Amino acid sequence: MNTNSDRVVLAYSGGLDTSVMIAWLKENYGLDAIAVLVDAGRASGLEALRQKALDVGAAEAVVIDARDEFARDFILPALAANALYEEKYVLVSALSRPLICKKLVEAAGSHGAGTIAHGCTAKGNDQVRFDLGIRSLAPSLDILAPAREWNMTREQAMEYAAERGIPVPLKKDSPYSIDENLWGRAVECGPLEDPWLEPPEDAFAVTVAPSAAPDEPAYAEIGFEAGAPVALDGKKLPLVELIDAVDALAGSHGFGRVDMIENRLVGIKSREVYETPGALALIQAHRELEDMTLPRELLHFKRPLEQKFAVMTYNGGWYDPLMDALRAFMAETQKRVTGVVRLKFFKGSCIVAGRKSPNSLYDFGLATYGGEDAFSHDAAKGFCELWGLPLEVWARKNKPKKD
Ligand code: ARG
């Protein structure tokens, strides 16, 4: 192992596994853990979790508030790309992992650690994102993934913890595995492993059931500047606050639940449940504004690249040079994506109720069927004639011979 010190930076979440890892890394590798907890939004009780890491034997424990950076450097480019994996998943976890990697690598540098450890298991995508992210940013650091090595069940981990005086969860464990940040909430495991079973209500935390949503619709006007959401109902808001506000409103109207069968990179089809009201509403509004402000060829060229962007992100390729190129392309397309989109939330749905932009390419005179029609009807006949010419030539040549 290429450690240049006896210190390891651990991606610490405060849960049972990463707490146990602090002791395990010492016992199995003789490494002192520096627990790093990265706050990418929606985290709570952070100081208590930091203290817990110290109590269970971490040499140091730090909490890094990375919410603004997450919003600016990860969510915004993803929104510019309308990034949805398999057309449904807004990449909650996939976007946060490269941010966490960046923070871990920075911490390894400042604490003189030669190794980074993360808590991912062997079956998920997150291990890929951590491993690739760390290797992209710091190829000479060693990577340890204790949960990939130790093969402990939940019960064994609890036993291991109890033997070493590490506090174990007292109340009955939630059956779910949850990952949460500013861009949404991912829920896996427990009863959700049966794809035929409708997700129980207790799987959800930030959306109400559509049937329990208010009987009156709510409207939200999202103001964008150069592709970035900057205002809600005419009021300028910092990005993190704006995302939180849209999330709360959309979720309170039962919008944003996703239940899907997802293709993991490691070859498993998995049943995933997401609550991503704010992210989905913002992507919908953003895409709508693009439809109004981007010319046809650019728009049609961009859409398939958005899928590539999402797949690359999902598969742990955030720091791949292709992503730099895709981000540059997306950024170039956003320059004129400025305007306001009016969303309407009602009983689990979100629809676009209106859109306007100083850069709108919608031309009333060209579009109207009324008296102000400015479209050149005369030109249309010749246009059709030439546009259809190759088809006509083909048809003449290939038409079935009658005589
Ligand atoms: N399936 C999603 C993904 O791969 C969510 C993962 C959630 N992660 C977790 N550790 N619970 O991005």
Side-chain angles (χ1 to χ4, degrees):
M1 208 163 80
N2 165 36
T3 39
N4 52 30
S5 82
D6 53 4
R7 306 190 116 195
V8 55
V9 163
L10 170 67
Y12 174 73
S13 71
L16 176 68
D17 284 351
T18 54
S19 300
V20 163
M21 261 166 225
I22 293 172
W24 192 91
L25 286 162
K26 185 74 185 166
E27 285 174 27
N28 290 271
Y29 285 93
L31 294 169
D32 290 320
I34 295 141
V36 173
L37 205 165
V38 179
D39 177 8
R42 302 247 195 92
S44 60
L46 291 171
E47 182 44 37
L49 295 177
R50 195 186 78 82
Q51 190 55 50
K52 181 178 166 193
L54 294 172
D55 293 346
V56 303
E60 283 180 57
V62 286
V63 172
I64 298 169
D65 179 354
R67 285 173 298 171
D68 288 325
E69 187 174 344
F70 185 47
R72 187 190 63 230
D73 295 344
F74 296 82
I75 290 178
L76 268 193
L79 181 59
N82 301 309
L84 288 172
Y85 181 66
E86 297 184 335
E87 288 160 30
K88 297 184 189 117
Y89 169 42
V90 303
L91 300 163
V92 176
S93 310
L95 278 174
S96 76
R97 295 314 185 253
L99 164 80
I100 297 171
C101 287
K102 188 166 171 241
K103 297 292 140 194
L104 296 173
V105 167
E106 285 168 10
S110 61
H111 290 89
T115 307
I116 290 179
H118 61 73
C120 303
T121 65
K123 294 179 73 169
N125 297 308
D126 287 328
Q127 57 170 340
V128 182
R129 298 166 187 151
F130 271 111
D131 284 14
L132 269 63
I134 294 162
R135 282 161 67 202
S136 305
L137 296 171
S140 52
L141 287 180
D142 284 318
I143 300 171
L144 287 174
R148 241 174 359 202
E149 290 180 39
W150 69 26
N151 281 322
M152 276 195 265
T153 62
R154 184 88 185 154
E155 287 68 37
Q156 287 164 333
M158 302 249 279
E159 213 170 289
Y160 186 98
E163 282 162 12
R164 287 158 184 81
I166 297 167
V168 293
L170 291 177
K171 60 178 171 45
K172 198 180 164 304
D173 255 1
S174 152
Y176 305 111
S177 162
I178 293 160
D179 186 38
E180 198 168 2
N181 61 47
L182 183 61
W183 209 221
R185 186 166 179 271
V187 194
E188 296 171 325
C189 301
L192 302 177
E193 288 179 355
D194 175 358
W196 179 248
L197 186 96
E198 186 174 353
E201 263 316 295
D202 71 355
F204 300 103
V206 297
T207 56
V208 302
S211 56
D215 292 327
E216 289 301 312
Y219 290 86
E221 292 187 5
I222 319 282
F224 288 87
E225 265 168 34
V230 292
L232 179 60
D233 295 329
K235 188 172 162 237
K236 292 251 181 206
L237 282 181
L239 189 53
V240 170
E241 278 175 48
L242 187 146
I243 295 170
D244 270 337
V246 176
D247 204 62
L249 177 71
S252 75
H253 284 269
F255 175 69
R257 295 184 173 186
V258 175
D259 175 0
M260 67 188 284
I261 300 290
E262 175 177 303
N263 286 287
R264 287 194 190 161
L265 179 59
V266 292
I268 300 168
K269 276 196 194 288
S270 127
R271 198 280 186 89
E272 304 279 329
V273 167
Y274 299 107
E275 287 184 285
T276 50
L280 284 171
L282 287 169
I283 290 172
Q284 188 172 346
H286 176 260
R287 206 199 267 135
E288 187 72 19
L289 195 57
E290 288 190 328
D291 286 342
M292 177 170 251
T293 55
L294 296 186
R296 181 180 64 192
E297 296 310 317
L298 179 54
L299 200 55
H300 288 188
F301 190 77
K302 181 173 182 283
R303 294 291 182 242
L305 294 188
E306 297 175 352
Q307 285 182 28
K308 184 69 183 169
F309 185 105
V311 171
M312 290 290 295
T313 302
Y314 187 86
N315 289 346
W318 185 261
Y319 295 110
D320 191 297
L322 173 56
M323 286 296 281
D324 290 332
L326 285 176
R327 278 186 291 267
F329 171 80
M330 299 297 170
E332 172 64 28
T333 64
Q334 296 304 292
K335 289 180 176 162
R336 294 178 64 78
V337 184
T338 294
V340 181
V341 177
R342 192 157 185 256
L343 296 177
K344 178 181 181 179
F345 299 102
F346 185 57
K347 295 269 183 207
S349 75
C350 170
I351 60 163
V352 174
R355 66 294 265 164
K356 61 181 178 182
S357 166
N359 303 328
S360 173
L361 300 174
Y362 175 88
D363 183 318
F364 180 79
L366 291 178
T368 183
Y369 286 88
E372 289 162 75
D373 187 358
F375 185 76
S376 169
H377 290 243
D378 293 345
K381 184 168 180 289
F383 171 78
C384 292
E385 203 170 305
L386 297 187
W387 181 247
L389 189 56
L391 265 180
E392 184 186 324
V393 170
W394 171 262
R396 283 188 194 287
K397 200 80 192 161
N398 292 284
K399 74 170 188 225
K401 294 215 165 29
K402 285 205 190 97
D403 35 286

